Amino acid sequence: EPEVTQTPSHQVTQMGQEVILRCVPISNHLYFYWYRQILGQKVEFLVSFYNNEISEKSEIFDDQFSVERPDGSNFTLKIRSTKLEDSAMYFCASSEGWLAGVAEQFFGPGTRLTVL
Amino acid sequence: TQLLEQSPQFLSIQEGENLTVYCNSSSVFSSLQWYRQEPGEGPVLLVTVVTGGEVKKLKRLTFQFGDARKDSSLHITAAQPGDTGLYLCANTDKLIFGTGTRLQVFP
């Protein structure tokens, strides 16, 4: 069964460093998403991506964040200068269609980012 | 911004008991989804409800969408340890998740 994969599973970095989180969405999906979940808190939407551009983003997704689909398979989230409060689980998701059409969203296993 | 409040926040029960989890919104849902998330994994979709008053069953799980489409409930009959996890409601049209209900079922 096709699945969303994410690497690395755990990333430890120093405050101020740049990190790139990688995701491989399901191959025939067209919509891609990043979420984060701070330990013990709810899942928060960061950004959605379609047709090689950002379609929606939340207030959390400020200038220190960027997303890219550098090739036909990878979807990356870059955090330019990490802060302590960026420590969280980051989930990538993909869907075949836009969610307003109640398409199913498939989540990856997540990358745990720890900022020291 | 729509707020999705779930209750209870935590629930610990014995195997075989029944339980209900609630999701309440500050505004109308266009559609609502329920997910279950296990530790160290991403959320997995359980069901999507679209029509006010809709009831969907998934084995021992019954999902109900309120008539006014501002609330939903998830009822589990005869809970099993495998039901343990974090249950999340979501308005995926708005890309908003609820606060979650953490369920622990003891054998």
Side-chain angles (χ1 to χ4, degrees):
Chain A
E1 185 176 326
E3 58 183 16
V4 176
T5 59
Q6 290 185 244
T7 54
S9 56
H10 191 185
Q11 173 92 47
V12 181
T13 189
Q14 293 289 327
M15 188 170 58
Q17 294 295 305
E18 175 183 285
V19 294
I20 297 177
L21 309 183
R22 292 183 166 79
C23 168
V24 179
I26 294 173
S27 61
N28 64 329
H29 285 186
L30 301 176
Y31 297 83
F32 314 115
Y33 315 86
W34 282 102
Y35 294 84
R36 78 172 185 192
Q37 186 176 33
I38 296 170
L39 185 64
Q41 298 187 24
K42 65 178 184 178
V43 175
E44 299 175 292
F45 167 70
L46 294 177
V47 66
S48 60
F49 193 85
Y50 170 71
N51 200 25
N52 283 318
E53 60 183 28
I54 290 173
S55 47
E56 290 197 40
K57 61 182 180 179
S58 72
E59 293 174 353
I60 302 168
F61 194 88
D62 60 24
D63 291 345
Q64 70 161 343
F65 290 92
S66 62
V67 289
E68 195 176 33
R69 189 156 161 82
D71 53 45
S73 59
N74 289 285
F75 179 51
T76 63
L77 174 69
K78 182 193 290 187
I79 309 175
R80 285 190 188 81
S81 177
T82 50
K83 301 177 222 169
L84 295 176
E85 55 263 38
D86 292 327
S87 294
M89 197 77 165
Y90 287 80
F91 292 104
C92 173
S94 68
S95 64
E96 197 170 352
W98 179 238
L99 296 176
V102 303
E104 182 172 355
Q105 193 173 193
F106 292 83
F107 283 79
T111 291
R112 181 170 299 284
L113 175 65
T114 302
V115 182
L116 302 175
Chain B
T1 303
Q2 185 179 30
L3 298 175
L4 305 187
E5 294 288 335
Q6 289 185 240
S7 61
Q9 190 176 358
F10 299 100
L11 193 54
S12 293
I13 60 172
Q14 292 295 127
E15 182 176 3
E17 291 184 28
N18 301 331
L19 67 115
T20 303
V21 173
Y22 300 92
C23 173
N24 291 286
S25 169
S26 56
S27 53
V28 173
F29 288 95
S30 51
S31 62
L32 181 150
Q33 295 185 329
W34 281 95
Y35 290 79
R36 189 174 85 195
Q37 184 181 18
E38 298 190 28
E41 298 182 12
V44 175
L45 180 67
L46 296 174
V47 77
T48 301
V49 286
V50 178
T51 307
E54 184 175 1
V55 176
K56 281 193 174 179
K57 289 183 184 292
L58 183 66
K59 297 183 182 177
R60 293 177 293 100
L61 278 59
T62 301
F63 303 86
Q64 187 155 6
F65 199 16
D67 291 338
R69 292 163 61 208
K70 293 181 70 176
D71 59 272
S72 180
S73 64
L74 158 58
H75 182 79
I76 302 179
T77 303
Q80 298 177 1
D83 296 327
T84 294
L86 178 66
Y87 288 82
L88 300 163
C89 65
N91 181 345
T92 45
D93 182 33
K94 303 291 185 189
L95 299 164
I96 297 171
F97 278 78
T99 50
T101 293
R102 193 167 296 281
L103 172 65
Q104 177 82 49
V105 182
F106 292 98

